[in-house]
Amino acid sequence: MHGWRKLAGSSWSAPCDPQFFGDMEIDAANLLATIDDIRRHTGEHVTITHAVVKAVACGLAAVPALNSRLARGREHPRESIDVLVIVATGDELTGIKIANADQKSLSEIAAELERRSAAIRAGRDAEFGRTKRMLEVLPPRLLRHGIRLSAWLTSDLNLNLPRLGLPRQAFGSAMVSSIGMTGITHAYSPLASYYRVPLLILVGAVHEKAVVVNGMIVARPVLTLTATFDHRYTDGLQAAKFAQAARAYLTAPNAAEPVRPLLQDVDRAGSDHADSHQR
């Protein structure tokens, strides 16, 4: 037993925490066009998942009560909006926390995830390495207590212990994981107690679907997002406000994403403009 199976087997027991679920469908036509535009002008491999990370950050900014942590029966506001992204590094899954995600562009989020994923694959991420070694060394019986202790120290007490592989608020303000890369369009995931976050978002695969537009049935690219909320942090009204803010970003991302052209694109545009005048 190793990796996620060992971690899950050591941490889960009978369900007792209050969770509720929701989903929404997004017309992804504008989103796909914006992603293509950013790729073409910046050279960054921006994806749907990166856009959802930014949308989640926008939702948390719109509902500050969600961007909080619970400790010893009290609610504490977080210092920043950080989104943890589940990524695959070889045969393992790991999480990379994007700090201040609400202040970063899609291309910046994509570049940071790629850089840090490469560091983990190459074994250059010291913090991740220490955490992984700790998980591998502890037997399952002790791992359960170790997980609870680490969550209490780094989340409840808000301590930063990187030398022990225990960074402060390791799971950030919320979590995002893509299932779309496997072709799955719709699924849900539970929140583990040691996450200490109010919500987890799963990103489905974009697929063609018949929808009604201006009274006519047409095929449109549709993105499905599913969410698991911790009811201790939020109620249905706050969850709805979060969803509205996330939807607003995903349906019109070009309004919030300035495209910074590559130097060669600027030169090419100038050349093309001159040629058009000559012709």
Side-chain angles (χ1 to χ4, degrees):
M1 184 184 295
H2 65 282
W4 172 250
R5 291 186 181 277
K6 180 179 179 182
L7 190 62
S10 300
S11 58
W12 289 105
S13 58
C16 61
D17 293 326
Q19 299 180 18
F20 66 96
F21 308 89
D23 61 60
M24 67 178 179
E25 293 185 337
I26 304 291
D27 186 327
N30 288 339
L31 177 59
L32 294 175
T34 299
I35 287 174
D36 287 342
D37 196 36
I38 293 174
R39 286 182 178 181
R40 185 171 61 253
H41 287 86
T42 69
E44 293 294 344
H45 185 66
V46 176
T47 69
I48 292 286
T49 300
H50 300 140
V52 173
V53 170
K54 183 62 180 288
V56 168
C58 291
L60 291 171
V63 189
L66 267 178
N67 193 43
S68 62
R69 61 185 180 86
L70 301 178
R72 290 168 287 184
R74 297 183 60 187
E75 185 177 352
H76 304 270
R78 295 184 185 273
E79 299 173 354
S80 59
I81 296 177
D82 309 330
V83 180
L84 185 88
V85 189
I86 304 300
V87 298
T89 55
D91 295 330
E92 292 287 337
L93 292 176
T94 188
I96 296 176
K97 186 173 72 174
I98 304 297
N100 300 301
D102 58 317
Q103 302 175 24
K104 295 176 179 175
S105 67
L106 278 187
S107 57
E108 289 170 335
I109 291 172
E112 182 173 343
L113 275 172
E114 175 54 33
R115 182 179 67 255
R116 294 177 60 188
S117 295
I120 291 173
R121 289 192 294 268
R124 299 194 305 268
D125 190 296
E127 185 177 277
F128 172 79
R130 281 189 283 267
T131 303
K132 186 176 181 180
R133 285 192 294 272
M134 181 186 70
L135 294 177
E136 291 174 346
V137 169
L138 288 177
R141 183 175 299 177
L142 293 180
L143 186 57
R144 177 190 295 267
H145 300 291
I147 291 171
R148 291 176 176 173
L149 177 61
S150 65
W152 180 70
L153 291 171
T154 62
S155 295
D156 296 1
L157 298 185
N158 204 31
L159 298 177
N160 190 32
L161 306 170
R163 292 186 178 182
L164 300 177
L166 302 174
R168 179 188 289 115
Q169 306 298 330
F171 295 93
S173 308
M175 298 172 62
V176 171
S177 182
S178 174
I179 56 173
M181 64 182 67
T182 62
I184 298 173
T185 61
H186 201 131
Y188 292 93
S189 180
L191 283 168
S193 60
Y194 57 86
Y195 292 164
R196 300 293 205 274
V197 297
L199 74 153
L200 185 158
I201 304 292
L202 293 188
V203 185
V206 174
H207 60 290
E208 291 280 314
K209 185 173 182 178
V211 298
V212 178
V213 178
N214 296 325
M216 299 182 63
I217 298 177
V218 297
R220 301 288 288 181
V222 172
L223 167 67
T224 300
L225 301 180
T226 59
T228 304
F229 290 90
D230 187 328
H231 214 332
R232 297 173 300 170
Y233 290 87
T234 183
D235 55 27
L237 179 60
Q238 292 173 328
K241 290 180 178 179
F242 168 86
Q244 290 170 359
R247 179 187 291 276
Y249 174 82
L250 290 171
T251 53
N254 54 307
E257 292 296 330
V259 176
R260 300 167 185 167
L262 291 173
L263 181 59
Q264 57 264 36
D265 285 343
V266 174
D267 293 341
R268 187 182 306 115
S271 175
D272 290 346
H273 183 69
D275 289 343
S276 66
H277 277 73
Q278 289 177 345
R279 288 191 297 269

